[in-house]
Coordinates of all heavy atoms in Angstrom, one line a residue:
L129 N 20.0 2.0 -5.0 CA 18.7 1.5 -5.4 C 18.9 0.1 -6.0 O 18.1 -0.8 -5.7 CB 18.0 2.4 -6.4 CG 16.8 1.9 -7.1 CD1 15.7 1.6 -6.0 CD2 16.2 2.9 -8.1
K130 N 19.9 -0.1 -6.8 CA 20.2 -1.4 -7.4 C 20.5 -2.4 -6.3 O 20.1 -3.6 -6.4 CB 21.3 -1.3 -8.4 CG 20.9 -0.6 -9.7 CD 22.1 -0.5 -10.6 CE 21.7 0.2 -11.9 NZ 22.9 0.4 -12.9
E131 N 21.3 -2.1 -5.3 CA 21.6 -3.0 -4.2 C 20.3 -3.3 -3.5 O 20.1 -4.5 -3.1 CB 22.6 -2.3 -3.3 CG 24.0 -2.3 -3.8 CD 25.0 -1.7 -2.9 OE1 24.8 -1.8 -1.6 OE2 26.0 -1.1 -3.3
H132 N 19.4 -2.4 -3.3 CA 18.1 -2.7 -2.6 C 17.3 -3.7 -3.4 O 16.8 -4.6 -2.9 CB 17.3 -1.3 -2.5 CG 15.9 -1.5 -2.2 ND1 15.4 -2.1 -1.0 CD2 14.8 -1.3 -3.0 CE1 14.1 -2.1 -1.0 NE2 13.7 -1.7 -2.2
M133 N 17.3 -3.5 -4.7 CA 16.5 -4.4 -5.6 C 17.1 -5.8 -5.6 O 16.4 -6.8 -5.9 CB 16.4 -3.8 -7.0 CG 15.6 -2.6 -7.0 SD 15.6 -1.7 -8.6 CE 14.7 -2.9 -9.6
A134 N 18.4 -6.0 -5.3 CA 19.0 -7.3 -5.2 C 18.9 -7.9 -3.8 O 19.3 -9.0 -3.6 CB 20.4 -7.2 -5.7
S135 N 18.5 -7.1 -2.8 CA 18.5 -7.5 -1.4 C 17.5 -8.7 -1.2 O 16.5 -8.9 -1.9 CB 18.1 -6.4 -0.5 OG 16.8 -6.0 -0.6
E136 N 17.8 -9.4 -0.1 CA 16.9 -10.6 0.2 C 15.5 -10.1 0.6 O 14.5 -10.8 0.1 CB 17.6 -11.4 1.4 CG 16.8 -12.6 1.7 CD 17.5 -13.4 2.9 OE1 18.7 -13.2 3.1 OE2 16.7 -14.1 3.5
H137 N 15.4 -9.1 1.3 CA 14.1 -8.6 1.8 C 13.2 -8.1 0.6 O 12.0 -8.3 0.6 CB 14.1 -7.6 2.9 CG 15.0 -6.5 2.7 ND1 16.3 -6.5 3.0 CD2 14.7 -5.2 2.2 CE1 16.8 -5.3 2.7 NE2 15.9 -4.5 2.2
F138 N 13.9 -7.5 -0.4 CA 13.1 -7.0 -1.6 C 12.7 -8.2 -2.4 O 11.5 -8.3 -2.9 CB 14.0 -6.1 -2.4 CG 13.3 -5.5 -3.6 CD1 12.4 -4.4 -3.5 CD2 13.5 -6.1 -4.9 CE1 11.8 -3.9 -4.6 CE2 12.9 -5.6 -6.0 CZ 12.0 -4.5 -5.9
Q139 N 13.6 -9.1 -2.6 CA 13.2 -10.3 -3.4 C 12.1 -11.2 -2.7 O 11.2 -11.7 -3.3 CB 14.5 -11.2 -3.6 CG 15.6 -10.5 -4.4 CD 15.1 -10.3 -5.8 OE1 14.5 -11.1 -6.5 NE2 15.5 -9.1 -6.4

Side-chain angles (χ1 to χ4, degrees):
L129 174 58
K130 288 178 181 179
E131 287 182 30
H132 164 67
M133 293 174 68
S135 70
E136 183 178 337
H137 53 271
F138 181 82
Q139 297 295 320

